[in-house]
Amino acid sequence: MKGAAWFAIVLVASTVQAQPGTTGAIDPPLSPRNASYSIAATLDPVSRTITGSETIRWRNLTTAPAAELQFHLYWNAWRNTQSTFMRERALGSTAAAENASRSANEWGRIDVSSVKLTAPWQADLTASQRFIAPDDDNQRDQTVLMVPLAQPIAPGTTATIEIAWTAHVPRTFARTGAIGNFFFIAQWFPKLGVLQDEGWNCHQFHAGTEFFSDYGTYDVALTVPTGWPVGATGVQRDRHDNGNNTTTHSYYQDDVHDFAWTTSPEYLERTARFEHPTLPPVEMRLLLQPEHADQAERHFDATRTTLKYYGEWYGAYPYGHITIIDPAYQSGAGGMEYPTLFTAGTRWLAPSRVTTPEGVTVHEAGHQFWYGIVGNNEFEDAWMDEGLNTFSTARAIAQVYDPNYLALRYFGGFIPWVFKDVVLRRETDGNRLAGYRRDARSDAQTTPSYRYFPSTGGSITYNKTALWLNTMERWLGWPTLQRIMSEHFAKWKYKHPKPRDFFDTASDGAGADLGWFFDQVYRSSNVFDYGVQDLKSVRDQDQFHTTVIVRRYGEAVFPVDVLVTFKNGERAIEHWDGQERWKLYAYDRGSQALSADVDPNRVLLLDVNLTNNSRTLAPQGPRAATKWSAKWMVWLQDCLLSWAALV
Ligand SMILES: [Zn+2]
């Protein structure tokens, strides 16, 4: 997009900051609204069945006619073990045992009973529907439904599609499903893929990746047992008792790309408000588990932290309301984002100064910005929301919840113990260095995310991106990176950016071509590893002759400083371009050298081996290495425990 058009969008956006948050309606529109859904659905909690019907109003935004329609039927990933999702999940170690523990009633499915086109012409398409598998040709996969059209829908034309279906709610898969009388319902209705100029972008459901869809208006009527609170995307506009022990809750929201909801008779409801001198107010609604009643303010406080810092750094949250869901114990629904709603996740006995529930709350609230407002393709470029959000989460946490400490849980996870001598650090813990280090070579970020090796993709998507962004912050300065990220946000809100869009904005914002950096961190799986190979400092007549050899052990290249410290306190700082495999620095000085450090300010957070970054002439080397490796173990343990569940 050209600069002039971007300027116009910024002007439009600034006029809608005062949107009231109470109706879900936004005028003028923020997004193209080319995929809007009116849905009516009834949940029978006893049989765990959803009966639904929907009307989709879809406009062809591309330059090509659409000869067919493609829909996601995500819940068919959980029909049996032959779906692509389950086959991929089986590449992990525990899937088979978990599958075997499920009764027939604990699997999921969605069955479309009718598909009709009602505009621009009328046609019953039910008989022509069939499943396709564009990603892997798996004939057993039923997560993409294709419906051919007798004549194509021309560019600019709006089509209206009516679909009826029934679905069975599984015991939770992928944060969706039921446990007891707790229901979390997501990715649950037949949903159009995204038509692009190249054709439909409608991937099968994969074990390692998430979602992609166009923006629109959601107008959804949910019928559940009377007395069961409902939380959902958007704002409740109506609630009426049907007189048969069911109540219908109607929710509405403009300018979002998905709709999720939850119901359970156990929920407690709390409300609070976010206010800020320059950002629009946000009404916060929390549905939480009774055993966590004393943690309500911590959820609100972490959500405020997100709305404040992400709002100040990137751009305002425009919807005026947000719903926080604290899911049931062992529901498996925690830590997931949906438009204007997210699931957090806490535990009974959550000590202060430990970032549970704050870490997960900030991360999932943060997805309102990276995923909700800026809508990248999570099947293909998951790093664009998860990586930017992981970086932002750590940055926001560091503003408010510093210091925070390592906590481990004992006695089956019930009793937490806080290690006050292990302070968690933004750069290493928050950016999840240990996980990246373990999986650094597993994939390059150019690989479509759904093709990452399932159990290691997260390290590349989340950790590596956050580490290279934090490296950019330490290298270019926060004002420059903040300008880059806020410009990316302004250009691409309510749209679908591709990686090159971020890279172009980054080079513009930095005032220099950063292509060489993205070639390494995005287009390659090479690792960075700089180290001090040798330090000598020997008497030569009335002086000391000092030699320092620094080495590039990894394939990736980045400029690094080299700091040589002498016993009399003198320091020499060299700026090495890092290109050659090694470099010699030599000094003749009156003082003997004490130590040499490569990258002493830890700019390059992607360096996979820190133990070789410094050498000292005093006999402290082995002690330092032991200290480092102990810290690595703690970091690794923490990453596994604290972060593994975040999406
Ligand atoms: Zn996430």
Side-chain angles (χ1 to χ4, degrees), residues 41-51 75 167 169 178 181-183 185 222-225 228 246 261-264:
T42 299
L43 170 69
D44 176 351
V46 176
S47 64
R48 295 192 170 179
T49 302
I50 291 174
T51 309
W75 285 21
V169 185
N181 54 18
F182 169 89
F183 288 80
I185 308 298
L222 302 163
T223 299
V224 302
W228 288 32
T246 68
W261 60 286
T262 177
T263 188
S264 164

Side-chain angles (χ1 to χ4, degrees), residues 210 335 337 363-364 367 378 385-386 389-390 432 462 646-647:
E210 298 179 327
E337 67 277 10
H363 182 88
E364 306 310 335
H367 271 301
E378 294 186 298
D385 61 293
E386 293 297 356
N389 191 35
T390 299
R432 315 187 196 184
Y462 296 67
L646 298 190
V647 180

Side-chain angles (χ1 to χ4, degrees), residues 274-276 278-279 301-317 362 365-366 369-370 389 391-402 478 482 485-486 489:
F274 166 77
E275 290 181 332
H276 186 279
T278 58
L279 295 168
D301 195 56
T303 305
R304 281 193 193 97
T305 293
T306 312
L307 294 170
K308 168 182 160 63
Y309 286 104
Y310 284 57
E312 291 175 356
W313 295 338
Y314 310 132
Y317 179 77
V362 170
F369 297 78
W370 306 120
N389 191 35
F391 165 81
S392 308
T393 302
R395 197 169 203 287
I397 291 279
Q399 310 300 313
V400 181
Y401 303 108
D402 193 40
W478 172 239
Q482 189 264 334
M485 293 180 74
S486 62
F489 186 87

Side-chain angles (χ1 to χ4, degrees), residues 250-271:
S250 296
Y251 278 78
Y252 183 94
Q253 185 61 54
D254 284 330
D255 298 317
V256 291
H257 58 57
D258 198 8
F259 185 100
W261 60 286
T262 177
T263 188
S264 164
E266 310 297 335
Y267 276 132
L268 300 181
E269 179 172 356
R270 300 281 186 272
T271 58

